[in-house]
Amino acid sequence: MKDTSQMLYKVVENKTIVWFKNSNEYLVLENETADILKRLSKGISVKEIAAALSKKLSVPVDKTFDFIIDLEKRVYKPKSKKETKIVNDYRDIQRPKEFEFIKYYKINSLVIKVSYSSEYELYLVHPKFAYLETNITTEFNHQFTVFTNNNFTFLLIDNLFIGAWSQKEIHFFQGKFSMELIQKIHQKDEKQWLGVFHASAVSNGKKSMLFLGDSGNGKSTSLALLQANGFTCLADDFVPMDAKKQEVYSFPASISVKKNSLDSLLPIYPELKNSAEFHFKRLNKIVRYIQPNNEDLFAHLPCNDVVFIKYEKGSDLICDKISKINAFERLIPDSWLSPEIENAQIFLDWFANLNCYQLTYSNNKEMIQTVSNIFNNEL
């Protein structure tokens, strides 16, 4: 008998979403296919399931038998583990005696000290948080240490080793830095988070809304426009949600603005004209940063709406509710989701009750009004 505790099932619209504990993966399946998995998990034989399915679908039993065997292999096949090459034992790595850059960031009443060994490490982190820099140099709550040794970038927090990443994995370092930072800001450990979404989050003061879309579709630009028109930026690119109340939490990174958005944003944010430009070769993008207008970086608000947003020059405004299954399949690939079974169930229940939209626009005023309508349940 397969272990039924290793899977969760959630019927959404006309499909079943299945979560697998061993791999922390989600699959969208036809209801009949999901039902076969349930029966396999209960220890019912392939022969018995195949016979019942053959009768139900009026197809030869050998075909249903082969289908079930193939399904069982795909689902229960052990995941191949990539061997990690240990280049150095981190305990043998000596921290630099001197750090070229030491920065202090103030997040409400919290002060974080970050020591960077060189300009390279500074470039990986500082631009998004530069506006939080403070002159406080004596009292701080936590200390992050970042340095590179033998082509690996190391992260220590309060003198405890967190991890080391090669240059090819540097985006994982940046993600881990951000994850550790939100844990310190909001006093929650990793098990208390439902997930982190690659999205933008905006608030009307009462609740929040997620904006998603492929790179270049205008998530951050839309967020910058909205925060200039009465809304609040809760987070950009890295949006954390807690497990207890399924609320979106503030993340204090600046809003990243790509070069092709400057013309539309310069009249609203003239400071962009002389702001520093940052080239991220791995992501093939050049960005500048806008300070978020969030005055309470400890804020957290419920989220009932997910909007896949796209700026398309010359387009009429189109805003329609879309299939939740379609939204789910677009949301999952770029998200970090908790591997805890309790949190996976909460996530599935939360998602099943979401409102999902596709918003395409070219007129900024129409987009802003539409977002207001969604917040007010007037769409």
Side-chain angles (χ1 to χ4, degrees):
M1 180 185 292
K2 304 295 182 182
D3 187 353
T4 57
S5 67
Q6 301 300 301
M7 288 184 278
L8 295 174
Y9 301 87
K10 186 72 177 181
V11 177
V12 176
E13 296 174 336
N14 60 343
K15 305 281 186 180
T16 299
I17 301 172
V18 185
W19 175 78
F20 301 89
K21 179 175 173 59
N22 288 340
S23 59
N24 191 25
E25 290 180 332
Y26 293 82
L27 281 181
V28 176
L29 300 175
E30 297 295 335
N31 293 333
E32 188 68 55
T33 305
D35 188 55
I36 292 170
L37 282 186
K38 288 181 183 179
R39 284 183 278 175
L40 285 170
S41 298
K42 291 177 181 177
I44 301 173
S45 70
V46 173
K47 185 177 180 181
E48 187 177 345
I49 298 171
L53 189 62
S54 171
K55 185 176 180 181
K56 182 177 180 179
L57 300 179
S58 299
V59 296
V61 70
D62 60 330
K63 290 189 178 297
T64 58
F65 189 90
D66 290 344
F67 173 78
I68 295 166
I69 289 292
D70 183 61
L71 176 66
E72 189 176 34
K73 285 180 180 178
R74 285 191 291 121
V75 170
Y76 292 109
K77 183 181 179 181
K79 301 289 179 181
S80 59
K81 293 183 179 180
K82 293 182 179 179
E83 292 188 10
T84 303
K85 293 181 180 179
I86 301 175
V87 179
N88 283 294
D89 185 329
Y90 71 86
R91 291 171 296 182
D92 297 332
I93 296 295
Q94 295 296 315
R95 280 182 285 179
K97 293 181 179 179
E98 294 184 1
F99 289 83
E100 191 172 348
F101 300 95
I102 296 178
K103 302 289 184 180
Y104 294 82
Y105 305 101
K106 189 172 184 181
I107 304 162
N108 284 15
S109 58
L110 190 74
V111 176
I112 305 286
K113 176 184 178 182
V114 186
S115 302
Y116 304 99
S117 61
S118 73
E119 192 170 14
Y120 169 71
E121 292 81 18
L122 183 79
Y123 190 80
L124 295 175
V125 175
H126 180 69
K128 285 188 174 184
F129 306 106
Y131 79 97
L132 295 168
E133 193 172 353
T134 177
N135 293 325
I136 295 175
T137 59
T138 54
E139 297 181 3
F140 54 88
N141 302 94
H142 299 284
Q143 178 172 320
F144 286 48
T145 304
V146 185
F147 63 93
T148 299
N149 188 301
N150 287 349
N151 295 316
F152 277 74
T153 298
F154 287 76
L155 173 63
L156 285 77
I157 298 178
D158 298 331
N159 293 317
L160 294 175
F161 172 80
I162 303 300
W165 296 265
S166 69
Q167 291 185 351
K168 291 182 179 179
E169 302 170 322
I170 207 64
H171 56 294
F172 291 119
F173 155 74
Q174 292 170 314
K176 187 62 174 176
F177 186 100
S178 296
M179 193 72 197
E180 293 291 332
L181 184 59
I182 61 167
Q183 291 181 60
K184 301 303 182 189
I185 294 170
H186 299 295
Q187 295 297 297
K188 290 178 179 289
D189 62 36
E190 194 166 295
K191 290 184 179 180
Q192 292 174 287
W193 296 106
L194 194 66
V196 176
F197 305 109
H198 181 217
S200 298
V202 66
S203 155
N204 68 348
K206 297 178 181 178
K207 57 184 180 178
S208 64
M209 184 184 301
L210 295 186
F211 288 106
L212 298 107
D214 295 334
S215 179
N217 276 7
K219 293 190 303 291
S220 299
T221 303
S222 301
L223 179 60
L225 290 166
L226 287 162
Q227 83 159 17
N229 285 273
F231 295 92
T232 300
C233 166
L234 281 181
D236 184 41
D237 272 346
F238 186 93
V239 180
M241 175 175 283
D242 82 314
K244 187 175 182 179
K245 293 186 177 180
Q246 301 89 65
E247 293 182 327
V248 167
Y249 273 64
S250 295
F251 182 66
S254 296
I255 302 172
S256 61
V257 175
K258 296 187 180 69
K259 203 167 185 178
N260 57 6
S261 298
L262 288 179
D263 288 344
S264 60
L265 292 177
L266 274 171
I268 307 169
Y269 299 97
E271 66 270 21
L272 280 172
K273 184 176 182 180
N274 298 312
S275 63
E277 228 176 35
F278 297 90
H279 297 242
F280 295 99
K281 293 180 181 179
R282 186 184 66 81
L283 300 174
N284 192 29
K285 67 180 183 180
I286 301 172
V287 303
R288 302 185 189 201
Y289 289 100
I290 296 173
Q291 180 175 332
N293 66 346
N294 189 1
E295 295 181 357
D296 180 9
L297 296 173
F298 296 152
H300 46 92
L301 292 164
C303 177
N304 304 316
D305 304 292
V306 168
V307 178
F308 290 86
I309 199 160
K310 183 177 183 180
Y311 173 84
E312 194 171 278
K313 188 175 181 180
S315 171
D316 291 334
L317 185 134
I318 303 169
C319 186
D320 295 314
K321 274 197 170 185
I322 61 171
S323 156
K324 290 181 183 180
I325 291 296
N326 177 282
F328 186 87
E329 291 178 323
R330 294 164 68 183
L331 173 68
I332 293 300
D334 290 333
S335 301
W336 173 84
L337 295 171
S338 173
E340 303 297 319
I341 190 167
E342 298 85 358
N343 292 348
Q345 184 65 65
I346 292 169
F347 170 71
L348 287 169
D349 293 341
W350 169 76
F351 187 86
N353 290 302
L354 277 182
N355 300 310
C356 303
Y357 300 90
Q358 175 70 53
L359 171 58
T360 304
Y361 76 97
S362 62
N363 184 294
N364 294 339
K365 289 183 178 179
E366 290 180 349
M367 180 273 290
I368 293 164
Q369 183 59 54
T370 302
V371 170
S372 180
N373 291 344
I374 295 173
F375 267 124
N376 296 327
N377 300 315
E378 295 174 354
L379 198 66

